[in-house]
Amino acid sequence: MIQKVTGLSMAVHEQLELYKHRYAPKPGNDTGRRVCIVTGIHGDELEGQYVAFLLGRRLKEHPEFLRCTVDVYPAMNPLGINTIQRGVPLFDLDMNRIFPGADDGPAVEYFAHKAVEDMRGADIAIDIHASNIFLRELPQVRISEETAPALVPLAKELNIDFVWVHAAATVLQSTLAHSLNAMGTKCLVVEMGVGMRLTRAYGEQLTEGILNLLRSQGFWSGETQQPRTPLVSKDEVAFLNAGAAGIFMPETLHGTHVRAGQVLGVIADPLTAEEKEVVTSPVDGLLFTLREYPVVYPGSLLARVLKQEVTA
Amino acid sequence: MKQEVLYALDTPYRQRMEIEGFRFGSGEKACAIVGGIRGNEVQQMYVCARLVQAFRRLEEQKAILPGNEILVIPCVTRFSMNVGQRFWPLDNTDINRMFPGYDQGETTQRIAAALFEAVKGYRYGIHFASFYLPGDFVPHVRIMNTGYQTASLGNLFGLPYVVMRTPKPIDTTTLNYNWQIWESNAFSLYTRDTDRIDEASAQQAVSAVLRYLSRVGVVKYNCHSGYMSTVINESTLAPVLTPTGGIFRPKKVPGDPVEYGEVIGEILDPLTAELSAPVTATTSGVVFFATDKPLVLEHEVAFKLIRRLHV
Ligand SMILES: [Zn+2]
């Protein structure tokens, strides 16, 4: 059933609307639990759109397997997705920096508040992001240290490649995930793929993972594949930032294992036809982030490598 | 006056971006003043440019008191300003959400780190800022309630209001907040405009800074005493929200007194010009902030009111 969560009138005869699709269990199958699948907070991240579609198809195909309510919110920032903008048009702040929103706040904060209130009481939430237009990411779950004990076991069911447990930052207290976790809903943040594109293999991988997570909680009685075992890292991540301006051309495939000293790419100057920087991996490990957008400034993130021993 | 390049960044397809600073006097780091961090903060840059002029004259007149050094940075991102963008053009990030910065990090973290390195350690830090909601304010000094702040110093600017703000998580990455954490007395000054130049409020801002610096013993400057500032807590400001979307016609401007229930603006249907809904005051008091957008959504902040105290 498609439900309107909230709406606001815009300037010229149009409503800004937030919708969700509620997939309810068959009578007699309801455990009374609820799971929220949320995506589209950043309007330039589209990987979650495919997951919302695929997951919805699976749930419609076999409603008899469902043991909980699943609410799918495909477009938390509908105007951003509609206009190909990361943020909310006409609003300065990143939508994922204003949660839990405010009833008496400006329009976008009010919108965020209504969304959070609608999710209140859910048992689990999965907030699907897709990096940005600059970087391509392996499917991963990011968890802040203080929520790791509760969330890492759930993340391991999600069929992702990597769980990144990171230090808490005060500014991240204004994310949707932080608000939901503070309200008692276990919220996992997924990052995968790249902005403005769909990576179908990742969408299929995560959809399978979501069903597997539901199954692990007794919320889904259908068969699912055995999930892959993710690497769990506590910040053992090497960051590679550009030292020069120019165009970056990767020379290593994303998602592969690299060795210390291996060339990951070069930064070139199209005007002088010179190579300005050869970028090499400082460590052995998994190349889980790789730059997709070619133009770089000094400081632009080029790659991230999860440090690990490479087994020969 | 010493003009310096405080930071330079190579960028593709354009000239190097430089942050230029102007230093006056010598000795102890007395005051750092920062203007446009965002590309549309033209008024903020202009106020600082006028301050550069004023300090140059004061220096010539030996009116900068010995042992005091002043640094003015009118524009942090000419790179954005020159292409008419509020934020960093490549990735639309806001440098005033990047402090204290990180010199090995992303480009905008590096710019923030370089700026912070240049302006930290001063006794006073003054930032001409703009609000995340577009509109006009009663000129005021804003101080972050971090536990390190000194509210009474804010009165010395002689502006009508000193606003105390309790920081939210998102504030922890601003220049003002980080200045205070690093033990500078930090003030954000808000004047009437951002992307246009308003001479009167620019002059008021220049006077406020010179008044402040003369009162704390950094410059010798004869000035009017200004206002007796009223200190208010930002959380006590009463928002007036738009009841629907449409064309917004304010009937009050910042500084105007209003009565509870009074119609202080109206929303017109954008296609027929008929009244869609009145906007009424939620309390008696004074208009502190008014949006300047001609088109509004429902539930936007049209006004913020200072509640009148009943004594
Ligand atoms: Zn995102």
Side-chain angles (χ1 to χ4, degrees):
Chain A
M1 182 179 31
I2 297 192
Q3 296 178 347
K4 181 168 148 181
V5 177
T6 189
L8 284 171
S9 84
M10 296 170 72
V12 189
H13 291 203
E14 183 185 351
Q15 284 277 318
L16 165 58
E17 297 172 312
L18 176 64
Y19 283 103
K20 69 175 178 185
H21 194 139
R22 168 159 285 190
Y23 299 92
K26 294 224 174 261
N29 282 351
D30 196 354
T31 54
R33 304 304 188 91
R34 180 157 62 108
V35 174
C36 296
I37 308 297
V38 185
T39 192
I41 288 181
H42 294 131
D44 61 351
E45 300 179 16
L46 304 177
E47 305 278 11
Q49 300 304 304
Y50 185 51
V51 176
F53 167 75
L54 278 184
L55 180 69
R57 291 277 290 254
R58 296 283 290 273
L59 297 177
K60 279 187 187 177
E61 213 170 64
H62 290 291
E64 72 278 12
F65 292 154
L66 195 58
R67 297 287 181 273
C68 73
T69 297
V70 177
D71 281 336
V72 178
Y73 303 75
M76 289 288 285
N77 172 9
L79 293 180
I81 301 180
N82 177 271
T83 59
I84 323 184
Q85 292 183 52
R86 184 172 182 78
V88 182
L90 300 173
F91 187 69
D92 250 16
L93 303 179
D94 182 333
M95 190 177 183
N96 211 19
R97 296 289 179 273
I98 58 167
F99 286 98
D103 195 31
D104 65 349
V108 183
E109 294 178 31
Y110 173 79
F111 203 74
H113 166 77
K114 286 292 188 194
V116 167
E117 285 308 310
D118 196 68
M119 294 171 201
R120 183 182 288 278
D123 297 275
I124 296 172
I126 299 169
D127 180 17
I128 305 166
H129 289 255
S131 181
N132 53 37
I133 63 167
F134 303 105
L135 302 168
R136 176 175 284 280
E137 298 283 356
L138 275 185
Q140 60 197 266
V141 169
R142 294 191 188 160
I143 295 173
S144 74
E145 266 166 356
E146 76 274 14
T147 53
L151 297 185
V152 170
L154 291 179
K156 285 182 173 169
E157 303 292 343
L158 260 185
N159 196 35
I160 36 106
D161 293 83
F162 171 35
V163 177
W164 187 352
V165 179
H166 59 80
T170 310
V171 69
L172 296 180
Q173 289 171 9
S174 38
T175 60
L176 172 66
H178 185 95
S179 288
L180 290 177
N181 280 307
M183 283 162 43
T185 297
K186 291 176 181 167
C187 181
L188 298 167
V189 176
V190 175
E191 285 282 0
M192 66 177 196
V194 63
M196 294 193 183
R197 294 288 180 272
L198 296 185
T199 309
R200 296 186 74 157
Y202 289 173
E204 285 150 19
Q205 181 182 338
L206 182 62
T207 302
E208 200 58 38
I210 293 171
L211 288 170
N212 188 69
L213 172 65
L214 294 179
R215 186 181 163 81
S216 75
Q217 304 298 304
F219 299 166
W220 178 254
S221 63
E223 286 304 309
T224 57
Q225 292 166 15
Q226 178 68 24
R228 55 181 81 196
T229 307
L231 298 163
V232 180
S233 152
K234 288 195 76 180
D235 269 352
E236 296 105 353
V237 172
F239 286 66
L240 280 90
N241 296 77
I247 51 164
F248 174 72
M249 294 166 288
E251 301 215 331
T252 302
L253 284 178
H254 177 234
T256 56
H257 288 269
V258 297
R259 290 186 175 279
Q262 185 176 335
V263 175
L264 302 183
V266 294
I267 298 173
D269 181 342
L271 181 64
T272 61
E274 297 289 338
E275 280 187 2
K276 296 179 77 174
E277 188 180 357
V278 176
V279 181
T280 58
S281 179
V283 293
D284 290 348
L286 175 65
L287 180 63
F288 72 93
T289 305
L290 185 61
R291 190 166 185 92
E292 180 90 6
Y293 191 81
V295 176
V296 296
Y297 291 47
S300 294
L301 188 61
L302 304 176
R304 281 186 284 231
V305 181
L306 176 61
K307 295 175 212 172
Q308 58 185 173
E309 299 303 317
V310 178
T311 40
Chain B
M1 182 180 87
K2 277 187 304 215
Q3 184 172 353
E4 293 171 32
V5 173
L6 301 169
Y7 178 68
L9 177 82
D10 276 328
T11 75
Y13 308 99
R14 282 175 69 177
Q15 289 196 328
R16 277 167 26 128
M17 188 200 84
E18 294 177 342
I19 301 178
E20 293 171 84
F22 299 83
R23 246 181 252 280
F24 305 90
S26 63
E28 208 190 307
K29 292 179 165 196
C31 184
I33 302 172
V34 177
I37 292 183
R38 297 167 180 147
N40 67 332
E41 293 175 345
V42 181
Q43 169 83 351
Q44 289 76 359
M45 176 172 71
Y46 179 65
V47 170
C48 285
R50 295 291 299 268
L51 279 167
V52 167
Q53 256 184 353
F55 289 130
R56 187 165 52 81
R57 290 203 196 103
L58 289 173
E59 197 174 48
E60 282 162 12
Q61 296 157 9
K62 307 256 183 285
I64 294 176
L65 296 176
N68 289 292
E69 188 232 285
I70 300 165
L71 173 66
V72 185
I73 302 171
C75 179
V76 176
T77 49
R78 63 187 189 199
F79 204 69
S80 302
M81 209 167 269
N82 284 337
V83 293
Q85 297 208 19
R86 180 159 163 83
F87 297 130
W88 188 248
L90 183 74
D91 58 7
N92 217 33
T93 50
D94 182 355
I95 292 170
N96 203 25
R97 304 273 173 221
M98 293 289 165
F99 289 98
Y102 176 46
D103 64 2
Q104 300 297 306
E106 265 287 345
T107 311
T108 44
Q109 290 177 312
R110 292 180 184 205
I111 296 168
L115 178 66
F116 197 60
E117 188 58 36
V119 300
K120 82 174 184 215
Y122 284 79
R123 223 176 317 144
Y124 310 112
I126 298 171
H127 175 210
F128 287 94
S130 66
F131 200 49
Y132 76 110
L133 304 174
D136 292 337
F137 283 103
V138 175
H140 66 279
V141 181
R142 191 172 285 235
I143 300 176
M144 209 81 85
N145 236 327
T146 54
Y148 301 93
Q149 83 291 346
T150 337
S152 56
L153 281 177
N155 297 327
L156 301 181
F157 286 90
L159 288 171
Y161 293 96
V162 174
V163 178
M164 303 301 297
R165 175 177 172 87
T166 302
K168 293 185 178 177
I170 194 166
D171 293 311
T172 58
T173 53
T174 61
L175 173 59
N176 185 310
Y177 182 90
N178 284 279
W179 249 335
Q180 287 208 27
I181 296 302
W182 288 76
E183 295 177 348
S184 295
N185 290 293
F187 308 98
S188 295
L189 261 63
Y190 289 79
T191 70
R192 186 140 279 175
D193 243 307
T194 295
D195 42 18
R196 278 172 303 224
I197 286 174
D198 179 298
E199 284 289 351
S201 80
Q203 190 49 52
Q204 189 181 23
V206 168
S207 302
V209 170
L210 296 178
R211 186 183 297 123
Y212 179 83
L213 291 177
S214 72
R215 287 173 172 176
V216 296
V218 174
V219 300
K220 242 187 323 190
Y221 176 72
N222 290 321
C223 54
H224 298 288
S225 55
Y227 293 84
M228 291 283 290
S229 306
T230 307
V231 179
I232 51 178
N233 214 306
E234 195 189 33
S235 61
T236 65
L237 293 171
V240 179
L241 301 169
T242 50
T244 184
I247 290 178
F248 176 61
R249 298 271 303 269
K251 290 176 175 291
K252 299 287 176 185
V253 296
D256 284 352
V258 299
E259 292 300 325
Y260 172 77
E262 185 184 352
V263 175
I264 57 176
E266 50 192 24
I267 310 287
L268 303 184
D269 183 289
L271 305 186
T272 65
E274 299 294 338
L275 180 69
S276 296
V279 179
T280 53
T282 47
T283 181
S284 296
V286 173
V287 176
F288 178 74
F289 167 83
T291 185
D292 61 1
K293 292 166 69 173
L295 291 179
V296 291
L297 277 82
E298 177 186 351
H299 220 281
E300 279 198 89
V301 178
F303 297 98
K304 287 191 178 194
L305 306 178
I306 302 164
R307 293 170 210 272
R308 184 180 303 145
L309 297 175
H310 298 278
V311 275

